[in-house]
Amino acid sequence: MTDLRMELDDLSRPAIADHLREHLDDMRSVSPPESVHALDLDGLRAPNIRFWSAWIDDSLVGTVALKDLGAGDVEIKSMRTTAAARGRGVGRQMLAFALEQARTSGAARVVLETGAEPYFEPARGLYVAAGFSVRGPFADYVVDPNSVYMELALA
């Protein structure tokens, strides 16, 4: 795999806006509106969110964000690889990067929400392989048959 370059991103580049728009469009196509929890550009600009873009050479290959929930918890948001990057280990590298960022920032636990639909099976498999386990809703989430909530304690 070519070297993946992670950049703390200010969400100002058109490529990022296009990538996130595609992400939201995909989420809306597979999940009912009340179960779409992906953030748009404005949502990702919140002061408690750090957002990174992933690049190989000059090509955007993915994004990931960490939202500080307080009390040692951080939530993974906007984790997505481009279609061209899927199956190349980019998601695994981005997840490893995000977990390291969470550790170095002092987080005790990483949580996330992903979909329950078959579309999300690769993501759930990636998280399980990294040590995440299924849990109940956290923060403002509620029980939802279209959502799977997961967590990983950081030691």
PDB file of all heavy atoms in Angstrom, residues 121-142:
ATOM      1  N   GLU A 121     -21.974  -3.921   6.658  1.00  0.00           N
ATOM      2  CA  GLU A 121     -21.250  -5.101   7.134  1.00  0.00           C
ATOM      3  C   GLU A 121     -19.732  -4.926   7.084  1.00  0.00           C
ATOM      4  O   GLU A 121     -19.044  -5.284   8.052  1.00  0.00           O
ATOM      5  CB  GLU A 121     -21.667  -6.344   6.356  1.00  0.00           C
ATOM      6  CG  GLU A 121     -22.996  -6.890   6.797  1.00  0.00           C
ATOM      7  CD  GLU A 121     -23.419  -8.115   6.007  1.00  0.00           C
ATOM      8  OE1 GLU A 121     -22.536  -8.840   5.491  1.00  0.00           O
ATOM      9  OE2 GLU A 121     -24.637  -8.347   5.913  1.00  0.00           O
ATOM     10  N   PRO A 122     -19.156  -4.388   5.993  1.00  0.00           N
ATOM     11  CA  PRO A 122     -17.698  -4.207   5.988  1.00  0.00           C
ATOM     12  C   PRO A 122     -17.214  -3.287   7.121  1.00  0.00           C
ATOM     13  O   PRO A 122     -16.193  -3.563   7.752  1.00  0.00           O
ATOM     14  CB  PRO A 122     -17.407  -3.611   4.613  1.00  0.00           C
ATOM     15  CG  PRO A 122     -18.552  -4.055   3.755  1.00  0.00           C
ATOM     16  CD  PRO A 122     -19.741  -4.059   4.683  1.00  0.00           C
ATOM     17  N   ALA A 123     -17.950  -2.225   7.395  1.00  0.00           N
ATOM     18  CA  ALA A 123     -17.554  -1.320   8.480  1.00  0.00           C
ATOM     19  C   ALA A 123     -17.627  -2.025   9.826  1.00  0.00           C
ATOM     20  O   ALA A 123     -16.695  -1.943  10.638  1.00  0.00           O
ATOM     21  CB  ALA A 123     -18.447  -0.075   8.480  1.00  0.00           C
ATOM     22  N   ARG A 124     -18.711  -2.737  10.066  1.00  0.00           N
ATOM     23  CA  ARG A 124     -18.843  -3.458  11.343  1.00  0.00           C
ATOM     24  C   ARG A 124     -17.721  -4.479  11.490  1.00  0.00           C
ATOM     25  O   ARG A 124     -17.140  -4.630  12.575  1.00  0.00           O
ATOM     26  CB  ARG A 124     -20.217  -4.112  11.460  1.00  0.00           C
ATOM     27  CG  ARG A 124     -21.351  -3.103  11.607  1.00  0.00           C
ATOM     28  CD  ARG A 124     -22.675  -3.757  11.981  1.00  0.00           C
ATOM     29  NE  ARG A 124     -23.069  -4.840  11.106  1.00  0.00           N
ATOM     30  CZ  ARG A 124     -23.851  -4.722  10.035  1.00  0.00           C
ATOM     31  NH1 ARG A 124     -24.312  -3.532   9.690  1.00  0.00           N
ATOM     32  NH2 ARG A 124     -24.171  -5.776   9.310  1.00  0.00           N
ATOM     33  N   GLY A 125     -17.383  -5.169  10.409  1.00  0.00           N
ATOM     34  CA  GLY A 125     -16.290  -6.140  10.449  1.00  0.00           C
ATOM     35  C   GLY A 125     -14.958  -5.479  10.770  1.00  0.00           C
ATOM     36  O   GLY A 125     -14.150  -6.030  11.537  1.00  0.00           O
ATOM     37  N   LEU A 126     -14.720  -4.318  10.199  1.00  0.00           N
ATOM     38  CA  LEU A 126     -13.498  -3.569  10.481  1.00  0.00           C
ATOM     39  C   LEU A 126     -13.420  -3.208  11.958  1.00  0.00           C
ATOM     40  O   LEU A 126     -12.382  -3.392  12.605  1.00  0.00           O
ATOM     41  CB  LEU A 126     -13.460  -2.294   9.627  1.00  0.00           C
ATOM     42  CG  LEU A 126     -12.324  -1.317   9.899  1.00  0.00           C
ATOM     43  CD1 LEU A 126     -10.985  -1.905   9.475  1.00  0.00           C
ATOM     44  CD2 LEU A 126     -12.584   0.000   9.169  1.00  0.00           C
ATOM     45  N   TYR A 127     -14.523  -2.728  12.516  1.00  0.00           N
ATOM     46  CA  TYR A 127     -14.524  -2.328  13.925  1.00  0.00           C
ATOM     47  C   TYR A 127     -14.349  -3.528  14.857  1.00  0.00           C
ATOM     48  O   TYR A 127     -13.588  -3.459  15.821  1.00  0.00           O
ATOM     49  CB  TYR A 127     -15.802  -1.550  14.264  1.00  0.00           C
ATOM     50  CG  TYR A 127     -15.941  -0.261  13.484  1.00  0.00           C
ATOM     51  CD1 TYR A 127     -17.114   0.062  12.828  1.00  0.00           C
ATOM     52  CD2 TYR A 127     -14.883   0.640  13.390  1.00  0.00           C
ATOM     53  CE1 TYR A 127     -17.238   1.242  12.114  1.00  0.00           C
ATOM     54  CE2 TYR A 127     -14.993   1.816  12.672  1.00  0.00           C
ATOM     55  CZ  TYR A 127     -16.175   2.112  12.037  1.00  0.00           C
ATOM     56  OH  TYR A 127     -16.291   3.283  11.320  1.00  0.00           O
ATOM     57  N   VAL A 128     -15.010  -4.632  14.553  1.00  0.00           N
ATOM     58  CA  VAL A 128     -14.857  -5.841  15.377  1.00  0.00           C
ATOM     59  C   VAL A 128     -13.406  -6.325  15.321  1.00  0.00           C
ATOM     60  O   VAL A 128     -12.818  -6.686  16.348  1.00  0.00           O
ATOM     61  CB  VAL A 128     -15.845  -6.944  14.930  1.00  0.00           C
ATOM     62  CG1 VAL A 128     -15.493  -8.293  15.551  1.00  0.00           C
ATOM     63  CG2 VAL A 128     -17.276  -6.547  15.294  1.00  0.00           C
ATOM     64  N   ALA A 129     -12.808  -6.316  14.130  1.00  0.00           N
ATOM     65  CA  ALA A 129     -11.410  -6.751  13.989  1.00  0.00           C
ATOM     66  C   ALA A 129     -10.465  -5.870  14.791  1.00  0.00           C
ATOM     67  O   ALA A 129      -9.408  -6.333  15.240  1.00  0.00           O
ATOM     68  CB  ALA A 129     -11.010  -6.761  12.514  1.00  0.00           C
ATOM     69  N   ALA A 130     -10.843  -4.602  15.012  1.00  0.00           N
ATOM     70  CA  ALA A 130     -10.012  -3.687  15.796  1.00  0.00           C
ATOM     71  C   ALA A 130     -10.286  -3.798  17.294  1.00  0.00           C
ATOM     72  O   ALA A 130      -9.655  -3.094  18.092  1.00  0.00           O
ATOM     73  CB  ALA A 130     -10.244  -2.247  15.334  1.00  0.00           C
ATOM     74  N   GLY A 131     -11.227  -4.666  17.693  1.00  0.00           N
ATOM     75  CA  GLY A 131     -11.485  -4.875  19.106  1.00  0.00           C
ATOM     76  C   GLY A 131     -12.753  -4.233  19.637  1.00  0.00           C
ATOM     77  O   GLY A 131     -13.048  -4.332  20.836  1.00  0.00           O
ATOM     78  N   PHE A 132     -13.518  -3.578  18.793  1.00  0.00           N
ATOM     79  CA  PHE A 132     -14.773  -2.960  19.244  1.00  0.00           C
ATOM     80  C   PHE A 132     -15.792  -4.045  19.574  1.00  0.00           C
ATOM     81  O   PHE A 132     -15.801  -5.116  18.966  1.00  0.00           O
ATOM     82  CB  PHE A 132     -15.355  -2.063  18.150  1.00  0.00           C
ATOM     83  CG  PHE A 132     -14.703  -0.714  18.039  1.00  0.00           C
ATOM     84  CD1 PHE A 132     -13.498  -0.571  17.370  1.00  0.00           C
ATOM     85  CD2 PHE A 132     -15.303   0.415  18.578  1.00  0.00           C
ATOM     86  CE1 PHE A 132     -12.891   0.666  17.248  1.00  0.00           C
ATOM     87  CE2 PHE A 132     -14.708   1.656  18.462  1.00  0.00           C
ATOM     88  CZ  PHE A 132     -13.496   1.784  17.801  1.00  0.00           C
ATOM     89  N   SER A 133     -16.659  -3.747  20.529  1.00  0.00           N
ATOM     90  CA  SER A 133     -17.763  -4.636  20.859  1.00  0.00           C
ATOM     91  C   SER A 133     -19.068  -3.849  20.817  1.00  0.00           C
ATOM     92  O   SER A 133     -19.082  -2.623  20.977  1.00  0.00           O
ATOM     93  CB  SER A 133     -17.556  -5.263  22.246  1.00  0.00           C
ATOM     94  OG  SER A 133     -17.443  -4.256  23.227  1.00  0.00           O
ATOM     95  N   VAL A 134     -20.146  -4.575  20.616  1.00  0.00           N
ATOM     96  CA  VAL A 134     -21.469  -3.956  20.542  1.00  0.00           C
ATOM     97  C   VAL A 134     -21.898  -3.525  21.937  1.00  0.00           C
ATOM     98  O   VAL A 134     -21.623  -4.202  22.932  1.00  0.00           O
ATOM     99  CB  VAL A 134     -22.483  -4.935  19.914  1.00  0.00           C
ATOM    100  CG1 VAL A 134     -23.897  -4.371  19.944  1.00  0.00           C
ATOM    101  CG2 VAL A 134     -22.073  -5.277  18.488  1.00  0.00           C
ATOM    102  N   ARG A 135     -22.570  -2.408  22.009  1.00  0.00           N
ATOM    103  CA  ARG A 135     -23.074  -1.852  23.262  1.00  0.00           C
ATOM    104  C   ARG A 135     -24.410  -1.181  22.983  1.00  0.00           C
ATOM    105  O   ARG A 135     -24.863  -1.164  21.844  1.00  0.00           O
ATOM    106  CB  ARG A 135     -22.076  -0.833  23.830  1.00  0.00           C
ATOM    107  CG  ARG A 135     -21.788   0.297  22.841  1.00  0.00           C
ATOM    108  CD  ARG A 135     -21.306   1.586  23.434  1.00  0.00           C
ATOM    109  NE  ARG A 135     -22.275   2.170  24.314  1.00  0.00           N
ATOM    110  CZ  ARG A 135     -21.968   2.910  25.370  1.00  0.00           C
ATOM    111  NH1 ARG A 135     -20.721   3.185  25.641  1.00  0.00           N
ATOM    112  NH2 ARG A 135     -22.898   3.412  26.132  1.00  0.00           N
ATOM    113  N   GLY A 136     -25.001  -0.591  23.988  1.00  0.00           N
ATOM    114  CA  GLY A 136     -26.246   0.154  23.817  1.00  0.00           C
ATOM    115  C   GLY A 136     -25.969   1.579  23.373  1.00  0.00           C
ATOM    116  O   GLY A 136     -24.818   2.000  23.246  1.00  0.00           O
ATOM    117  N   PRO A 137     -27.042   2.339  23.149  1.00  0.00           N
ATOM    118  CA  PRO A 137     -26.894   3.727  22.728  1.00  0.00           C
ATOM    119  C   PRO A 137     -26.111   4.554  23.748  1.00  0.00           C
ATOM    120  O   PRO A 137     -26.089   4.238  24.940  1.00  0.00           O
ATOM    121  CB  PRO A 137     -28.330   4.238  22.635  1.00  0.00           C
ATOM    122  CG  PRO A 137     -29.174   3.017  22.529  1.00  0.00           C
ATOM    123  CD  PRO A 137     -28.436   1.941  23.264  1.00  0.00           C
ATOM    124  N   PHE A 138     -25.471   5.595  23.266  1.00  0.00           N
ATOM    125  CA  PHE A 138     -24.695   6.507  24.109  1.00  0.00           C
ATOM    126  C   PHE A 138     -25.042   7.934  23.712  1.00  0.00           C
ATOM    127  O   PHE A 138     -25.701   8.175  22.700  1.00  0.00           O
ATOM    128  CB  PHE A 138     -23.189   6.236  23.953  1.00  0.00           C
ATOM    129  CG  PHE A 138     -22.701   6.373  22.548  1.00  0.00           C
ATOM    130  CD1 PHE A 138     -22.238   7.595  22.068  1.00  0.00           C
ATOM    131  CD2 PHE A 138     -22.715   5.297  21.678  1.00  0.00           C
ATOM    132  CE1 PHE A 138     -21.813   7.723  20.760  1.00  0.00           C
ATOM    133  CE2 PHE A 138     -22.286   5.412  20.369  1.00  0.00           C
ATOM    134  CZ  PHE A 138     -21.836   6.641  19.906  1.00  0.00           C
ATOM    135  N   ALA A 139     -24.603   8.876  24.518  1.00  0.00           N
ATOM    136  CA  ALA A 139     -24.839  10.314  24.272  1.00  0.00           C
ATOM    137  C   ALA A 139     -26.325  10.523  23.975  1.00  0.00           C
ATOM    138  O   ALA A 139     -27.158  10.101  24.758  1.00  0.00           O
ATOM    139  CB  ALA A 139     -23.929  10.821  23.163  1.00  0.00           C
ATOM    140  N   ASP A 140     -26.650  11.159  22.848  1.00  0.00           N
ATOM    141  CA  ASP A 140     -28.041  11.470  22.522  1.00  0.00           C
ATOM    142  C   ASP A 140     -28.710  10.410  21.651  1.00  0.00           C
ATOM    143  O   ASP A 140     -29.848  10.591  21.219  1.00  0.00           O
ATOM    144  CB  ASP A 140     -28.120  12.818  21.789  1.00  0.00           C
ATOM    145  CG  ASP A 140     -27.699  13.968  22.684  1.00  0.00           C
ATOM    146  OD1 ASP A 140     -27.839  13.855  23.916  1.00  0.00           O
ATOM    147  OD2 ASP A 140     -27.222  14.990  22.141  1.00  0.00           O
ATOM    148  N   TYR A 141     -28.027   9.308  21.380  1.00  0.00           N
ATOM    149  CA  TYR A 141     -28.611   8.250  20.566  1.00  0.00           C
ATOM    150  C   TYR A 141     -29.686   7.504  21.359  1.00  0.00           C
ATOM    151  O   TYR A 141     -29.661   7.488  22.591  1.00  0.00           O
ATOM    152  CB  TYR A 141     -27.540   7.257  20.114  1.00  0.00           C
ATOM    153  CG  TYR A 141     -26.532   7.833  19.151  1.00  0.00           C
ATOM    154  CD1 TYR A 141     -25.264   8.208  19.586  1.00  0.00           C
ATOM    155  CD2 TYR A 141     -26.841   7.997  17.810  1.00  0.00           C
ATOM    156  CE1 TYR A 141     -24.327   8.723  18.706  1.00  0.00           C
ATOM    157  CE2 TYR A 141     -25.911   8.513  16.913  1.00  0.00           C
ATOM    158  CZ  TYR A 141     -24.654   8.877  17.366  1.00  0.00           C
ATOM    159  OH  TYR A 141     -23.741   9.394  16.499  1.00  0.00           O
ATOM    160  N   VAL A 142     -30.597   6.886  20.634  1.00  0.00           N
ATOM    161  CA  VAL A 142     -31.650   6.077  21.250  1.00  0.00           C
ATOM    162  C   VAL A 142     -31.645   4.703  20.584  1.00  0.00           C
ATOM    163  O   VAL A 142     -31.033   4.509  19.527  1.00  0.00           O
ATOM    164  CB  VAL A 142     -33.042   6.736  21.084  1.00  0.00           C
ATOM    165  CG1 VAL A 142     -33.100   8.073  21.814  1.00  0.00           C
ATOM    166  CG2 VAL A 142     -33.403   6.907  19.611  1.00  0.00           C
TER     167      VAL A 142
END
